[in-house]
Amino acid sequence: MKRYGIFYGTSTGTTGEVARKIAKALGVADADIHDVATTSPVEMGKYDVLILGSSTWGSGELQDDWYSFVDGAQSLDLSGKTIAIFGVGDETMSDTFCNAVGILYDKLKGTGARFVGEYPATVYHYDHSDATDGATMRGLVLDQVNHADLSDPRINAWADQVRREAEA
Ligand SMILES: Cc1cc2nc3c(=O)[nH]c(=O)nc-3n(C[C@H](O)[C@H](O)[C@H](O)COP(=O)(O)O)c2cc1C
């Protein structure tokens, strides 16, 4: 059984709430859910599967607490590890919807980790997102502002997919 750790950054609490829902769906213990504001990237070393979540702020930027954490993570050798990314945003920010998912992917793709958990882009309504370069998002994206009712089924389906892909 692989060890799963969840790392999230949040400014108003929403991504933290989503992180706990994902943890429940995956059976991840509270002790393995980490707020990047108060965690060292070295903690990633304890896990086989890293679930990374950020909201998007500003004009399509990472949540603030991620910047120093991801800088530290970039210098780690994450080969042999699996990463799945999730993002929380707002579809009405239509030119930068959930950009943080793409930013995390770009920053970590050189670490040797394998990425899983791509999600269909066609179920969202937006004009542009750095989270995708085609038909799939680099991870699960959720809009808790306008479509919170859609999130639980998406989380549950994505958690099953991530577990399947990570254990393969
Ligand atoms: C000033 C501001 C800028 C935002 N910029 C974006 C954005 O560019 N793209 C996006 O998808 N969501 C954007 N959002 C929406 C937030 O990502 C969303 O409210 C999210 O639920 C916040 O999550 P958090 O509390 O975990 O930080 C923005 C929200 C605010 C208030």
Side-chain angles (χ1 to χ4, degrees):
M1 184 68 155
K2 294 189 171 169
R3 291 160 302 171
Y4 288 65
I6 299 180
F7 296 79
Y8 69 90
T10 188
S11 294
T12 64
T14 310
T15 309
E17 284 165 24
V18 168
R20 285 184 284 281
K21 283 174 182 267
I22 290 172
K24 200 168 168 204
L26 283 168
V28 171
D30 286 353
D32 297 314
I33 308 172
H34 305 279
D35 184 339
V36 295
T38 53
T39 307
S40 162
V42 173
E43 283 292 298
M44 295 172 114
K46 295 203 302 207
Y47 302 101
D48 305 299
V49 183
L50 304 165
I51 313 287
L52 311 180
S54 176
S55 48
T56 296
W57 283 88
S59 308
E61 286 137 37
L62 270 181
Q63 192 277 333
D64 274 351
D65 301 315
W66 266 105
Y67 283 98
S68 59
F69 189 92
V70 80
D71 280 355
Q74 276 180 303
S75 61
L76 300 174
D77 177 7
L78 299 179
S79 50
K81 298 197 184 294
T82 300
I83 292 178
I85 304 174
F86 69 96
V88 180
D90 180 337
E91 280 187 0
T92 67
M93 315 257 175
S94 187
D95 291 327
T96 54
F97 179 49
C98 284
N99 269 14
V101 167
I103 297 170
L104 284 181
Y105 174 81
D106 284 341
K107 285 183 179 286
L108 295 173
K109 66 186 178 195
T111 56
R114 174 171 75 104
F115 288 80
V116 299
E118 292 213 337
Y119 198 83
T122 46
V123 301
Y124 305 101
H125 302 93
Y126 61 94
D127 291 321
H128 175 86
S129 173
D130 286 350
T132 180
D133 57 8
T136 54
M137 296 287 189
R138 300 285 189 200
L140 175 68
V141 307
L142 300 171
D143 179 346
Q144 293 292 94
V145 181
N146 306 293
H147 300 297
D149 52 318
L150 300 177
S151 294
D152 283 359
R154 286 175 176 168
I155 287 169
N156 290 331
W158 185 72
D160 286 348
Q161 177 193 336
V162 166
R163 187 172 286 289
R164 233 180 11 254
E165 292 176 356
E167 304 289 332

